[in-house]
Amino acid sequence: MSTAGKVIKCKAAVLWEQNKPFSIEEIEVAPPKAKEVRIKILATGICRTDDHVMKGTMVAKFPVIVGHEAAGVVESIGEGVTTVKPGDKVIPLFVPQCRECNACRNPNGNLCIRSDITGRGVLADGTTRFTCKGKPIYHFANTSTFTEYTVVDEFSVAKIDDAAPLEKVCLIGCGFSTGYGAAVKTGKVGPGSTCVVFGLGGVGLSVIVGCKSAGASRIIGIDINKDKFEKAMALGATECISPKDFTKPISEVLSEMTGNTVEYTFEVIGRLETMIDALASCHANYGTSVVVGAPPSAKLLTYDPMLLFTGRTWKGCIFGGWKSRDDVPKLVSDFLEKKFDLDQLITHVLPFQKISEGFELLYSGQSIRTVLTF
Protein backbone atom coordinates (compact mmCIF):
# COMPACT_ATOMS: atom_id res chain seq x y z
CA MET A 1 0.00 0.00 0.00
CA SER A 2 1.49 3.31 -1.10
CA THR A 3 2.22 5.91 1.56
CA ALA A 4 2.18 8.81 -0.93
CA GLY A 5 -0.20 11.57 0.11
CA LYS A 6 -0.63 10.12 3.59
CA VAL A 7 0.78 10.98 7.01
CA ILE A 8 3.57 8.55 7.93
CA LYS A 9 4.12 7.48 11.53
CA CYS A 10 7.75 6.65 12.25
CA LYS A 11 10.55 6.77 14.81
CA ALA A 12 12.66 9.89 15.30
CA ALA A 13 15.18 11.22 17.82
CA VAL A 14 13.58 14.36 19.26
CA LEU A 15 15.37 17.03 21.29
CA TRP A 16 12.61 18.45 23.48
CA GLU A 17 14.87 21.10 25.00
CA GLN A 18 18.46 22.29 25.21
CA ASN A 19 20.97 20.19 27.20
CA LYS A 20 18.58 17.24 27.38
CA PRO A 21 19.26 13.81 25.82
CA PHE A 22 17.61 12.49 22.67
CA SER A 23 14.20 10.94 23.11
CA ILE A 24 13.22 8.25 20.59
CA GLU A 25 9.58 9.06 19.81
CA GLU A 26 6.89 8.07 17.36
CA ILE A 27 6.24 11.13 15.21
CA GLU A 28 3.90 11.99 12.35
CA VAL A 29 5.47 13.17 9.10
CA ALA A 30 3.05 15.05 6.85
CA PRO A 31 3.08 14.49 3.08
CA PRO A 32 5.19 16.89 1.00
CA LYS A 33 3.51 20.08 -0.19
CA ALA A 34 4.26 21.69 -3.59
CA LYS A 35 7.98 21.70 -4.44
CA GLU A 36 8.79 19.43 -1.46
CA VAL A 37 10.22 15.93 -1.24
CA ARG A 38 9.64 13.25 1.42
CA ILE A 39 12.67 11.02 1.95
CA LYS A 40 13.11 7.67 3.66
CA ILE A 41 16.45 8.11 5.46
CA LEU A 42 18.62 4.98 5.33
CA ALA A 43 21.92 6.24 6.81
CA THR A 44 22.90 9.35 8.76
CA GLY A 45 26.23 10.49 10.21
CA ILE A 46 26.78 12.03 13.63
CA CYS A 47 28.41 15.44 13.27
CA ARG A 48 29.70 17.84 15.93
CA THR A 49 27.32 20.51 14.59
CA ASP A 50 24.33 18.49 15.84
CA ASP A 51 25.93 18.55 19.28
CA HIS A 52 26.28 22.36 19.04
CA VAL A 53 22.47 22.54 18.87
CA MET A 54 22.08 20.26 21.90
CA LYS A 55 24.50 22.41 23.91
CA GLY A 56 23.04 25.72 22.73
CA THR A 57 26.16 27.02 20.95
CA MET A 58 24.18 26.97 17.69
CA VAL A 59 20.77 28.60 17.38
CA ALA A 60 17.74 26.36 16.86
CA LYS A 61 14.08 26.26 17.87
CA PHE A 62 12.97 23.50 20.22
CA PRO A 63 11.57 20.88 20.13
CA VAL A 64 13.67 19.89 17.12
CA ILE A 65 14.87 16.96 15.05
CA VAL A 66 18.55 17.53 14.27
CA GLY A 67 20.83 15.54 11.95
CA HIS A 68 21.97 16.95 8.61
CA GLU A 69 24.45 14.44 7.10
CA ALA A 70 22.51 11.63 5.46
CA ALA A 71 21.43 9.63 2.45
CA GLY A 72 18.15 7.98 1.58
CA VAL A 73 15.51 7.23 -1.03
CA VAL A 74 12.68 9.48 -2.23
CA GLU A 75 9.36 8.14 -0.87
CA SER A 76 7.07 10.71 -2.51
CA ILE A 77 7.14 14.16 -4.10
CA GLY A 78 4.90 17.21 -3.95
CA GLU A 79 3.33 18.97 -6.89
CA GLY A 80 5.76 20.62 -9.32
CA VAL A 81 8.89 18.66 -8.30
CA THR A 82 10.95 17.88 -11.41
CA THR A 83 14.51 17.07 -10.28
CA VAL A 84 13.82 13.86 -8.29
CA LYS A 85 11.23 11.08 -8.41
CA PRO A 86 10.11 8.33 -6.01
CA GLY A 87 12.75 5.61 -5.71
CA ASP A 88 15.72 7.93 -6.47
CA LYS A 89 18.73 7.73 -4.17
CA VAL A 90 19.34 11.20 -2.73
CA ILE A 91 21.39 13.25 -0.27
CA PRO A 92 19.59 16.04 1.67
CA LEU A 93 21.47 19.37 1.55
CA PHE A 94 21.92 21.61 4.59
CA VAL A 95 23.26 24.24 2.18
CA PRO A 96 20.54 24.40 -0.47
CA GLN A 97 20.91 25.61 -4.05
CA CYS A 98 17.87 27.53 -5.32
CA ARG A 99 19.81 28.56 -8.48
CA GLU A 100 18.11 31.98 -8.41
CA CYS A 101 19.70 34.05 -5.61
CA ASN A 102 22.89 36.12 -5.93
CA ALA A 103 25.10 33.49 -4.28
CA CYS A 104 23.75 30.69 -6.49
CA ARG A 105 24.18 32.75 -9.67
CA ASN A 106 27.71 33.91 -8.85
CA PRO A 107 30.31 31.31 -9.96
CA ASN A 108 32.20 31.77 -6.67
CA GLY A 109 29.14 31.65 -4.39
CA ASN A 110 27.53 28.70 -2.64
CA LEU A 111 25.74 30.05 0.47
CA CYS A 112 22.22 30.06 -0.96
CA ILE A 113 19.80 32.61 0.50
CA ARG A 114 17.50 29.68 1.36
CA SER A 115 20.03 28.31 3.89
CA ASP A 116 18.66 28.18 7.42
CA ILE A 117 21.68 29.20 9.47
CA THR A 118 19.60 31.37 11.81
CA GLY A 119 17.56 28.48 13.19
CA ARG A 120 14.13 29.32 11.69
CA GLY A 121 13.31 25.61 11.82
CA VAL A 122 10.64 25.58 9.11
CA LEU A 123 10.39 24.81 5.39
CA ALA A 124 10.09 27.48 2.68
CA ASP A 125 6.37 27.99 3.30
CA GLY A 126 7.03 28.83 6.95
CA THR A 127 5.61 25.63 8.48
CA THR A 128 6.89 22.29 9.78
CA ARG A 129 6.01 18.76 8.58
CA PHE A 130 6.70 17.02 11.91
CA THR A 131 4.35 16.56 14.86
CA CYS A 132 4.76 14.54 18.05
CA LYS A 133 2.25 14.19 20.89
CA GLY A 134 0.16 16.88 19.21
CA LYS A 135 3.01 19.41 19.17
CA PRO A 136 4.83 20.77 16.11
CA ILE A 137 8.49 19.69 15.95
CA TYR A 138 10.93 22.02 14.21
CA HIS A 139 13.26 21.21 11.34
CA PHE A 140 17.02 21.75 11.49
CA ALA A 141 19.20 23.18 8.70
CA ASN A 142 16.68 22.37 5.93
CA THR A 143 17.31 18.66 6.54
CA SER A 144 16.43 16.92 9.89
CA THR A 145 17.82 13.44 9.33
CA PHE A 146 17.61 11.77 12.77
CA THR A 147 14.26 10.32 11.72
CA GLU A 148 13.08 7.46 9.51
CA TYR A 149 11.31 9.96 7.22
CA THR A 150 11.90 13.64 6.60
CA VAL A 151 10.50 16.32 4.28
CA VAL A 152 12.76 18.84 2.52
CA ASP A 153 12.33 21.56 -0.07
CA GLU A 154 13.27 20.52 -3.61
CA PHE A 155 16.19 22.97 -3.58
CA SER A 156 17.61 21.04 -0.57
CA VAL A 157 18.04 17.62 -2.18
CA ALA A 158 20.45 16.13 -4.72
CA LYS A 159 19.81 13.00 -6.79
CA ILE A 160 22.85 10.70 -6.76
CA ASP A 161 24.08 7.64 -8.65
CA ASP A 162 21.93 4.57 -8.05
CA ALA A 163 25.05 2.46 -7.44
CA ALA A 164 26.13 4.57 -4.44
CA PRO A 165 26.35 2.77 -1.05
CA LEU A 166 24.25 5.07 1.14
CA GLU A 167 25.94 4.07 4.44
CA LYS A 168 29.18 5.56 3.03
CA VAL A 169 28.17 8.44 0.77
CA CYS A 170 26.04 9.99 3.55
CA LEU A 171 29.36 11.62 4.63
CA ILE A 172 29.29 13.63 1.38
CA GLY A 173 26.23 15.40 2.86
CA CYS A 174 28.48 17.28 5.28
CA GLY A 175 31.76 16.18 6.85
CA PHE A 176 33.73 14.85 3.94
CA SER A 177 32.68 17.51 1.42
CA THR A 178 33.30 20.32 3.91
CA GLY A 179 36.88 19.28 4.64
CA TYR A 180 37.85 18.11 1.16
CA GLY A 181 36.41 21.25 -0.45
CA ALA A 182 38.14 23.53 2.09
CA ALA A 183 41.45 22.31 0.64
CA VAL A 184 40.73 21.87 -3.07
CA LYS A 185 38.07 24.55 -3.63
CA THR A 186 38.22 27.27 -0.94
CA GLY A 187 41.92 27.13 -0.04
CA LYS A 188 42.97 26.11 -3.57
CA VAL A 189 45.98 24.21 -2.23
CA GLY A 190 48.76 24.05 -4.82
CA PRO A 191 51.17 21.22 -5.71
CA GLY A 192 54.36 21.05 -3.63
CA SER A 193 52.93 23.26 -0.87
CA THR A 194 53.09 22.91 2.91
CA CYS A 195 49.73 22.66 4.71
CA VAL A 196 48.80 22.59 8.40
CA VAL A 197 45.49 21.18 9.67
CA PHE A 198 44.29 22.13 13.19
CA GLY A 199 41.86 19.48 14.47
CA LEU A 200 41.89 15.87 13.29
CA GLY A 201 38.23 14.87 13.55
CA GLY A 202 36.27 13.67 10.52
CA VAL A 203 36.32 17.06 8.81
CA GLY A 204 40.01 17.71 9.58
CA LEU A 205 40.95 14.31 8.16
CA SER A 206 38.93 15.15 5.04
CA VAL A 207 41.00 18.37 4.72
CA ILE A 208 44.10 16.14 4.75
CA VAL A 209 42.61 13.99 1.96
CA GLY A 210 41.99 17.20 -0.03
CA CYS A 211 45.51 18.56 0.56
CA LYS A 212 47.00 15.26 -0.57
CA SER A 213 44.87 15.07 -3.70
CA ALA A 214 45.86 18.67 -4.52
CA GLY A 215 49.52 17.61 -4.45
CA ALA A 216 50.74 19.15 -1.18
CA SER A 217 54.20 17.83 -0.33
CA ARG A 218 54.03 18.40 3.42
CA ILE A 219 50.87 18.07 5.51
CA ILE A 220 51.17 18.65 9.27
CA GLY A 221 48.29 17.53 11.50
CA ILE A 222 47.72 19.18 14.89
CA ASP A 223 45.59 17.79 17.71
CA ILE A 224 45.84 17.42 21.49
CA ASN A 225 44.53 13.84 21.15
CA LYS A 226 47.50 11.78 19.91
CA ASP A 227 45.25 8.78 19.29
CA LYS A 228 44.20 10.58 16.11
CA PHE A 229 47.71 10.74 14.63
CA GLU A 230 47.82 7.21 13.19
CA LYS A 231 44.67 7.72 11.11
CA ALA A 232 45.85 11.18 9.98
CA MET A 233 49.13 9.67 8.75
CA ALA A 234 47.26 6.87 6.97
CA LEU A 235 45.17 9.45 5.10
CA GLY A 236 48.13 11.57 3.98
CA ALA A 237 49.57 13.64 6.85
CA THR A 238 53.37 13.63 6.69
CA GLU A 239 53.72 14.37 10.42
CA CYS A 240 51.54 15.18 13.44
CA ILE A 241 52.22 17.24 16.56
CA SER A 242 50.44 18.12 19.80
CA PRO A 243 50.59 21.73 21.06
CA LYS A 244 50.85 20.27 24.58
CA ASP A 245 54.40 19.10 23.79
CA PHE A 246 55.66 22.69 23.36
CA THR A 247 55.90 25.74 25.56
CA LYS A 248 56.23 28.29 22.76
CA PRO A 249 53.31 29.38 20.51
CA ILE A 250 52.39 26.80 17.88
CA SER A 251 52.98 29.35 15.09
CA GLU A 252 56.65 29.60 16.14
CA VAL A 253 56.96 25.81 16.36
CA LEU A 254 55.59 25.45 12.82
CA SER A 255 57.78 28.23 11.46
CA GLU A 256 60.87 26.48 12.83
CA MET A 257 59.74 23.04 11.64
CA THR A 258 59.15 24.22 8.07
CA GLY A 259 61.70 26.99 7.63
CA ASN A 260 58.78 29.45 7.55
CA THR A 261 57.16 27.94 4.45
CA VAL A 262 53.58 27.19 5.58
CA GLU A 263 51.33 28.31 2.72
CA TYR A 264 47.96 26.98 3.89
CA THR A 265 46.43 26.47 7.34
CA PHE A 266 42.99 25.12 8.19
CA GLU A 267 41.16 25.59 11.50
CA VAL A 268 38.78 22.65 11.80
CA ILE A 269 37.79 22.93 15.47
CA GLY A 270 35.66 26.06 15.81
CA ARG A 271 37.61 27.65 18.70
CA LEU A 272 38.46 31.36 18.64
CA GLU A 273 42.00 30.81 19.99
CA THR A 274 42.87 28.23 17.36
CA MET A 275 41.50 30.47 14.59
CA ILE A 276 44.09 33.09 15.57
CA ASP A 277 46.79 30.42 15.93
CA ALA A 278 46.01 29.08 12.46
CA LEU A 279 46.11 32.59 10.97
CA ALA A 280 49.43 33.37 12.66
CA SER A 281 50.85 30.03 11.52
CA CYS A 282 50.62 30.61 7.76
CA HIS A 283 53.28 32.68 6.00
CA ALA A 284 53.03 36.38 6.95
CA ASN A 285 52.97 37.51 3.34
CA TYR A 286 51.64 34.80 1.02
CA GLY A 287 49.87 32.48 3.49
CA THR A 288 46.19 31.56 3.39
CA SER A 289 44.22 30.46 6.45
CA VAL A 290 40.78 28.88 6.08
CA VAL A 291 38.16 28.83 8.88
CA VAL A 292 36.37 25.49 8.51
CA GLY A 293 35.11 24.72 12.04
CA ALA A 294 31.77 26.33 12.91
CA PRO A 295 32.48 29.20 15.34
CA PRO A 296 30.50 29.53 18.59
CA SER A 297 27.53 31.87 18.12
CA ALA A 298 27.50 35.30 19.82
CA LYS A 299 31.26 35.34 20.39
CA LEU A 300 33.61 38.02 19.05
CA LEU A 301 37.20 37.57 18.00
CA THR A 302 40.04 39.95 18.89
CA TYR A 303 43.20 39.79 16.79
CA ASP A 304 46.19 41.88 15.75
CA PRO A 305 45.38 43.42 12.32
CA MET A 306 49.09 43.32 11.49
CA LEU A 307 48.53 39.58 10.91
CA LEU A 308 46.53 40.54 7.81
CA PHE A 309 48.29 43.75 6.84
CA THR A 310 51.46 41.87 5.89
CA GLY A 311 49.59 40.05 3.14
CA ARG A 312 47.91 36.98 4.59
CA THR A 313 44.53 35.84 3.27
CA TRP A 314 41.85 34.76 5.76
CA LYS A 315 38.92 32.86 4.31
CA GLY A 316 35.70 31.35 5.53
CA CYS A 317 34.24 28.18 4.13
CA ILE A 318 30.71 26.76 4.20
CA PHE A 319 30.24 23.20 2.91
CA GLY A 320 33.68 23.26 1.30
CA GLY A 321 32.60 25.95 -1.17
CA TRP A 322 30.60 23.42 -3.20
CA LYS A 323 27.40 24.37 -5.03
CA SER A 324 25.38 21.62 -3.39
CA ARG A 325 22.92 20.38 -6.03
CA ASP A 326 25.52 20.66 -8.80
CA ASP A 327 28.53 19.26 -6.96
CA VAL A 328 27.24 16.57 -4.56
CA PRO A 329 26.30 14.18 -7.42
CA LYS A 330 29.80 14.73 -8.92
CA LEU A 331 31.47 14.00 -5.56
CA VAL A 332 29.46 10.76 -5.28
CA SER A 333 30.60 9.81 -8.80
CA ASP A 334 34.21 10.60 -7.84
CA PHE A 335 33.83 8.28 -4.85
CA LEU A 336 32.49 5.50 -7.08
CA GLU A 337 35.51 6.05 -9.37
CA LYS A 338 37.73 5.55 -6.29
CA LYS A 339 39.19 9.07 -6.40
CA PHE A 340 38.98 9.12 -2.58
CA ASP A 341 38.17 6.64 0.19
CA LEU A 342 35.46 7.18 2.80
CA ASP A 343 35.96 3.86 4.63
CA GLN A 344 38.84 5.23 6.72
CA LEU A 345 36.61 8.01 8.10
CA ILE A 346 33.81 5.69 9.26
CA THR A 347 34.88 4.11 12.54
CA HIS A 348 31.50 2.95 13.87
CA VAL A 349 28.18 1.84 12.37
CA LEU A 350 25.26 1.59 14.80
CA PRO A 351 21.51 1.04 14.51
CA PHE A 352 19.57 4.32 14.74
CA GLN A 353 18.13 3.40 18.17
CA LYS A 354 21.69 3.64 19.60
CA ILE A 355 22.05 7.32 18.68
CA SER A 356 22.98 8.32 22.26
CA GLU A 357 25.79 5.75 22.24
CA GLY A 358 26.99 7.29 18.97
CA PHE A 359 27.22 10.72 20.61
CA GLU A 360 29.11 9.23 23.57
CA LEU A 361 31.71 7.92 21.08
CA LEU A 362 32.02 11.48 19.70
CA TYR A 363 32.48 13.04 23.16
CA SER A 364 35.09 10.49 24.23
CA GLY A 365 37.13 11.02 21.05
CA GLN A 366 36.88 7.33 20.14
CA SER A 367 35.03 7.86 16.87
CA ILE A 368 35.80 9.80 13.73
CA ARG A 369 32.41 9.28 12.09
CA THR A 370 29.65 7.13 13.47
CA VAL A 371 27.00 6.26 10.88
CA LEU A 372 23.51 5.34 12.10
CA THR A 373 21.54 2.95 9.89
CA PHE A 374 17.80 2.37 9.80
Side-chain angles (χ1 to χ4, degrees), residues 225-269:
N225 180 355
K226 292 186 178 181
D227 294 343
K228 299 194 171 174
F229 291 178
E230 189 183 341
K231 182 76 73 160
M233 302 286 281
L235 284 165
T238 51
E239 60 231 281
C240 292
I241 59 173
S242 165
K244 288 190 165 172
D245 290 344
F246 305 92
T247 49
K248 59 176 74 165
I250 200 75
S251 56
E252 289 179 30
V253 173
L254 289 164
S255 180
E256 286 169 19
M257 275 175 75
T258 62
N260 193 25
T261 57
V262 176
E263 260 178 272
Y264 304 96
T265 63
F266 300 87
E267 200 281 355
V268 205
I269 303 163

Side-chain angles (χ1 to χ4, degrees), residues 46-277:
I46 290 178
C47 175
R48 180 70 69 175
T49 308
D50 300 310
D51 180 56
H52 290 337
V53 176
M54 295 168 72
K55 302 278 199 297
T57 53
M58 184 170 265
V59 187
K61 280 187 184 158
F62 289 84
V64 64
I65 294 170
V66 291
H68 62 281
E69 178 183 271
V73 173
V74 174
E75 173 270 336
S76 62
I77 56 175
E79 189 188 328
V81 171
T82 58
T83 56
V84 295
K85 62 185 187 305
D88 283 351
K89 283 188 177 179
V90 291
I91 289 179
L93 307 167
F94 75 92
V95 174
Q97 187 184 355
C98 72
R99 299 193 169 128
E100 292 165 2
C101 70
N102 293 344
C104 283
R105 288 164 63 176
N106 186 298
N108 299 317
N110 81 318
L111 183 55
C112 175
I113 197 168
R114 299 288 194 168
S115 303
D116 182 12
I117 51 174
T118 56
R120 286 182 311 124
V122 288
L123 295 184
D125 79 335
T127 63
T128 164
R129 299 291 160 273
F130 304 125
T131 50
C132 180
K133 299 176 181 172
K135 294 188 177 121
I137 308 292
Y138 289 102
H139 296 248
F140 171 64
N142 300 86
T143 47
S144 290
T145 62
F146 290 163
T147 167
E148 291 175 292
Y149 288 87
T150 190
V151 179
V152 301
D153 294 295
E154 185 181 15
F155 51 64
S156 295
V157 65
K159 180 187 183 325
I160 59 169
D161 193 306
D162 229 27
L166 299 183
E167 74 286 355
K168 293 179 182 175
V169 299
C170 59
L171 268 65
I172 291 172
C174 177
F176 176 76
S177 305
T178 297
Y180 185 72
V184 303
K185 202 164 171 68
T186 306
K188 296 185 170 57
V189 167
S193 58
T194 297
C195 301
V196 178
V197 181
F198 289 74
L200 302 177
V203 181
L205 293 174
S206 302
V207 174
I208 289 174
V209 173
C211 292
K212 187 182 178 184
S213 82
S217 59
R218 198 167 176 189
I219 304 168
I220 302 168
I222 301 184
D223 204 296
I224 54 175
N225 180 355
K226 292 186 178 181
D227 294 343
K228 299 194 171 174
F229 291 178
E230 189 183 341
K231 182 76 73 160
M233 302 286 281
L235 284 165
T238 51
E239 60 231 281
C240 292
I241 59 173
S242 165
K244 288 190 165 172
D245 290 344
F246 305 92
T247 49
K248 59 176 74 165
I250 200 75
S251 56
E252 289 179 30
V253 173
L254 289 164
S255 180
E256 286 169 19
M257 275 175 75
T258 62
N260 193 25
T261 57
V262 176
E263 260 178 272
Y264 304 96
T265 63
F266 300 87
E267 200 281 355
V268 205
I269 303 163
R271 287 180 70 247
L272 304 183
E273 299 80 9
T274 37
M275 288 175 191
I276 303 289
D277 286 342

